Amino acid sequence: MRTDAVGRARGERVAPAGRALPRHRAIVITTGVLLGFFVIDGSFVWFEHPPLWQCATAVLGFAAILALQIGHSFPSLFPRLSRYRYATWGLQGLLAYLPIGLFGVGWGGMTAFFTASAALVFPPAVGWPLFCFGFAGDLAVFAHFETGWSYVAYAGVEALLIPLTVIGLSRMSDMIVKLQRSREELSRLAVAGERLRFARDLHDVVGFGLSAVALKCELAHRLLERAPARAQDELAEVLRTSRKALADVRAVSRGYREMSLSGEAQAAVPMLSAAGIRMSLTFDEAELPRSVDTVLAAVLREGLTNMLRHSKAEWCELRAERRGAAVVVALVNDGLGRGRSAKSGTDGALSALGERVASLGGTLAHGPDGRGRFHLRAVVPLPDGAGQRADACPARAIDADDAEQPVVQPRGLGHRDMVPRAAAAITFAVLVGYFLAYSVLSLSFELPLLRSVALMLCLSAMLLVQLAVSFQWRLAWVARRPWLVRQGAFCALVLLQVGPPLLLGRTCLGMPGFLAGTALLVLPTTVAWPVFAVVVVGGDLSLQLADGSLQDLIYQSAYTPICAVVVFGLSRMAQLASELHRSRTEIARLAVTTERLRFARDLHDLLGFSLSAITLKCELVRRLATSRPAQARQELTEVLGIAREALADVRTVASGSLRMCLTAEAEHATAMLAGVGIRATVRMDCGELPGEVETVLATTLREGLTNMLRHSRAEHCEITAERAAGGVRLRLVNDGAQGFGEPALGSRTHGGSGIGNLTTRVEAVNGRLTAGPRPDGRFELRAEVELLAA
């Protein structure tokens, strides 16, 4: 019954559902972890007290392996080197195994990086079998040098843990880049989806209107001679039809249709996903009366707008369901207590909506609930008879798993696109691996049986809590109280880390890496890093109290930060992989929305001109029908031609093969303007233009003339298209701004949907659109496009 949309990407907090790591930070984390491993292995070499030349050789070898590993983990950093990745992998193998004869087991940790690179460099079908061979080689090295069970067991765990850690962290930065691109695209396409809701009926409505205009014009043409009165009636009907069609085009394109609660709820999912807010949606699809549907949709839109504008919510819950003889819409979010009030700025708009809800006999309430959450709740009674329809439709919820359905992946990603299940599996395996490693270390102190059992129970509890924190984005019950659950998990880990040394003895060191990693995941940045430092220092003190050696102390000082950063990085990686997968699924769906929106925009740009011309010419025909019937028939013939051309435009746009000619459009404009008594001066000196640029400029000319005819009283119009420096310039100038209340296009370039569409089109071909009055009192529309860039 619920969905968890993409977690919120915010910089103020560090949490699994919070911050989306920048790519450079992912690279720094991975490099830091690699350096930590080298410190640990370097300490083993150092405590063998080798000669100075061997120390220098070891440092050079470490540096070479580090450089090769970074190149394998992040091939985009060294694109030329990545061309020879198979050769560099072989070189890394030599550097990993040959020095073992000189340094012994102290160099054995380097083989783990060679194993990790096999999965990073080769395709999966080859890389993972090589990974298994590398793991077997690691085990053979440690089994050859060591005989103690605890050391061999620990080395076996590390031989699997380190490669998986390197692979997971290496893939994290690539996922972050893809996720950020997906979120940006998702945000843009979500806007297209919102506009499409208003434009989806444009084709059918206008197509029917134009067909009616054509038929009635044919009838009026026949009636002009023998029945002028009936012809006048038919022309009046044509005028009403064309004006209604023009109003439909304007209303649909600008979004002035009545809102729908269902449409608003569906539009909220991609919008909140783009904002990084997890969402739980329970929606009853029962049909509602139009007045109730519109008011509740307005309440939902205003609530979401205020949540995005005035709060820092990370999670929200939306419920729209029928209860008895009423419909209840509830919006809950956790935006209180995050720096700005979720209520701030809501009273004015919501008070106005409260009056609309009250006019339907309902109630609207909003405010904090005392638990750090903000509630908005609207209850509207249903008119008699509406309840039966509601009963017929069961409640429907969007489930999070719906977003996980397979989609066609873009080309070029190949094996480097880690799917969510693989990312989650690696994260799970690494966490279990750290649990096993800490368990082997704890059992190596040979505690009594009861203490060993108690210690293992504590470590197992820490593992379960850590899994809950790392995979909280997959747990629906966490979304209800995310802050309480995360803080509770952190407190539980503190008790499980501090309790065993106090109760079971100083040698029960726990798993400080899990506690430090959880601090990075659930605490604010200003608190997380100090807590991280305290945990690391506390672990070193515990080891010193347990009589650990200097080498053990160095090992612990490096191992705890490594474990913490890995826990943080891989937990974020698993969530990022899931978010990326859902984002791509949503983008695949919204890409269709964008294409359909292009159809609707083309229809508006083309048909606005035609419908305006039909309206003007029909007015002229009505005036001429009785006094000059021959000219009236000629004008009516032109109306028929315009209507048929408009119908052809509808079919052309619907087929996706729109191509317009600027010269033909100018010639058509000259004839049309002459018919309505506007003198036109046309100069076309732009030569041959790229197809897309010519279509955009022809559309600009048509839309400019449409607005001139609709909003001005122009008597003279000048149309100029000429070559400019590196581009082409189209100008449409008229004298309609003089002595008239409204300028031809208004002073705002984005004032209407038509001009707004034109601005988008011109900018898409690297152009610029300007519109406004000139110093001489005339109005000018100018479009300039750079041809080379276009």
Side-chain angles (χ1 to χ4, degrees), residues 584-728:
R584 282 183 179 161
T585 304
E586 194 66 18
I587 287 173
R589 184 181 66 82
L590 290 176
V592 179
T593 297
T594 302
E595 186 66 12
R596 293 173 62 194
L597 176 61
R598 184 182 67 82
F599 294 162
R601 183 176 60 205
D602 288 343
L603 282 170
H604 172 273
D605 294 342
L606 291 170
L607 295 177
F609 178 89
S610 299
L611 290 170
S612 296
I614 289 172
T615 303
L616 289 172
K617 284 185 174 294
C618 284
E619 289 280 7
L620 179 62
V621 170
R622 288 187 66 189
R623 291 197 297 266
L624 298 175
T626 55
S627 60
R628 300 164 67 180
Q631 185 179 351
R633 283 195 298 273
Q634 181 180 354
E635 295 292 340
L636 199 54
T637 302
E638 292 189 16
V639 172
L640 270 172
I642 294 174
R644 289 165 179 163
E645 182 181 349
L647 281 171
D649 287 340
V650 171
R651 290 190 291 269
T652 300
V653 174
S655 66
S657 58
L658 176 64
R659 174 69 184 270
M660 297 174 64
C661 175
L662 180 59
T663 303
E665 196 65 33
E667 294 174 353
H668 179 69
T670 303
M672 190 274 300
L673 293 174
V676 296
I678 299 177
R679 301 190 313 276
T681 302
V682 180
R683 182 164 60 89
M684 291 286 145
D685 188 22
C686 56
E688 186 176 355
L689 298 174
E692 185 178 5
V693 174
E694 187 169 19
T695 298
V696 169
L697 293 180
T699 304
T700 302
L701 174 59
R702 178 175 289 194
E703 181 63 31
L705 291 173
T706 300
N707 280 278
M708 183 187 71
L709 293 172
R710 186 184 302 158
H711 300 297
S712 79
R713 295 175 181 174
E715 296 180 356
H716 179 260
C717 174
E718 179 182 343
I719 302 170
T720 305
E722 58 188 358
R723 291 278 182 171
V728 61

Side-chain angles (χ1 to χ4, degrees), residues 76-129:
S76 60
L77 293 179
F78 310 105
R80 293 185 179 180
L81 188 64
S82 64
R83 300 175 186 174
Y84 310 99
R85 56 188 181 276
Y86 299 146
T88 57
W89 180 75
L91 177 61
Q92 186 180 11
L94 296 177
L95 293 174
Y97 279 95
L98 291 181
I100 294 177
L102 181 63
F103 299 106
V105 73
W107 195 265
M110 296 298 99
T111 58
F113 301 108
F114 175 66
T115 302
S117 293
L120 295 171
V121 168
F122 292 92
V126 179
W128 287 107

Side-chain angles (χ1 to χ4, degrees), residues 440-451:
V440 172
L441 284 177
S442 300
L443 295 177
S444 66
F445 287 97
E446 299 181 354
L447 299 174
L449 180 60
L450 292 179
R451 289 191 178 185

Side-chain angles (χ1 to χ4, degrees), residues 152-489:
V152 173
Y154 181 81
V157 172
E158 290 291 310
L160 185 61
L161 179 62
I162 294 175
L164 289 178
T165 299
V166 172
I167 293 170
L169 292 176
S170 301
R171 289 288 177 259
M172 182 172 61
S173 66
D174 191 37
M175 286 185 208
I176 291 170
V177 173
K178 293 174 183 175
L179 176 65
Q180 290 173 341
R181 291 175 180 172
S182 295
R183 278 180 171 168
E184 292 171 0
E185 189 72 2
L186 186 63
S187 302
R188 186 181 65 81
L189 293 175
V191 176
E194 175 71 6
R195 293 179 60 197
L196 177 65
R197 293 196 308 108
F198 301 114
R200 59 191 174 189
D201 297 329
L202 181 63
H203 182 282
D204 294 338
V205 171
V206 178
F208 176 81
L210 286 172
S211 298
V213 166
L215 289 174
K216 289 185 176 296
C217 284
E218 291 275 9
L219 179 58
H221 193 275
R222 297 192 191 102
L223 295 174
L224 270 177
E225 290 187 358
R226 64 175 185 268
R230 288 186 58 192
Q232 289 275 16
D233 293 338
E234 294 297 335
L235 287 172
E237 185 65 26
V238 170
L239 274 172
R240 284 194 294 270
T241 303
S242 63
R243 285 168 180 163
K244 182 180 181 302
L246 189 58
D248 285 339
V249 170
R250 206 174 303 152
V252 171
S253 299
R254 292 178 182 174
Y256 292 153
R257 296 283 189 181
E258 289 182 321
M259 294 188 295
S260 162
L261 179 60
S262 172
E264 292 296 325
Q266 296 296 333
V269 175
M271 178 180 67
L272 294 178
S273 297
I277 299 176
R278 302 191 314 278
M279 181 182 183
S280 296
L281 174 62
T282 304
F283 183 72
D284 191 332
E285 288 187 332
E287 181 182 358
L288 298 175
R290 181 168 298 179
S291 58
V292 176
D293 202 21
T294 301
V295 169
L296 291 179
V299 171
L300 175 57
R301 175 178 289 187
E302 185 63 28
L304 292 172
T305 300
N306 279 282
M307 181 184 70
L308 293 172
R309 183 182 302 159
H310 300 296
S311 81
K312 297 182 178 180
E314 296 180 350
W315 164 83
C316 78
E317 179 181 8
L318 169 61
R319 296 191 304 274
E321 52 194 1
R322 175 181 172 269
R323 293 185 182 178
V327 178
V328 179
V329 174
L331 181 65
V332 185
N333 69 80
D334 63 347
L336 289 179
R338 301 184 186 278
R340 288 182 292 174
S341 172
K343 186 179 178 180
S344 173
T346 65
D347 289 342
L350 290 180
S351 296
L353 286 174
E355 297 175 1
R356 294 180 62 185
V357 173
S359 67
L360 298 176
T363 59
L364 177 66
H366 55 88
D369 63 354
R371 295 181 294 175
R373 298 187 299 180
F374 187 85
H375 279 253
L376 173 66
R377 177 184 173 91
V379 182
V380 178
L382 290 172
D384 294 338
Q388 285 76 10
R389 290 194 303 270
D391 285 332
C393 296
R396 174 183 179 269
I398 299 177
D399 191 89
D401 294 336
D402 294 342
E404 299 287 347
Q405 296 301 319
V407 295
V408 178
Q409 297 292 341
R411 291 185 179 180
L413 296 178
H415 68 282
R416 297 187 179 277
D417 181 25
M418 186 179 295
V419 296
R421 291 182 180 177
I426 288 180
T427 304
F428 179 83
V430 169
L431 294 179
V432 173
Y434 274 117
F435 163 75
L436 294 175
Y438 276 116
S439 299
V440 172
L441 284 177
S442 300
L443 295 177
S444 66
F445 287 97
E446 299 181 354
L447 299 174
L449 180 60
L450 292 179
R451 289 191 178 185
S452 298
V453 172
L455 177 59
M456 291 305 300
L457 290 176
C458 289
L459 295 180
S460 300
M462 293 188 75
L463 173 64
L464 293 177
V465 174
Q466 183 61 62
L467 288 173
V469 172
S470 297
F471 293 97
Q472 61 175 285
W473 46 275
R474 295 186 67 91
L475 304 175
W477 54 272
V478 176
R480 298 168 190 163
R481 297 180 178 84
W483 185 87
L484 180 62
V485 172
R486 291 201 292 265
Q487 307 311 314

Side-chain angles (χ1 to χ4, degrees), residues 128-150:
W128 287 107
L130 291 177
F131 178 94
C132 295
F133 282 117
F135 173 67
D138 295 344
L139 292 180
V141 170
F142 287 105
H144 174 74
F145 285 97
E146 298 293 338
T147 56
W149 73 268
S150 61

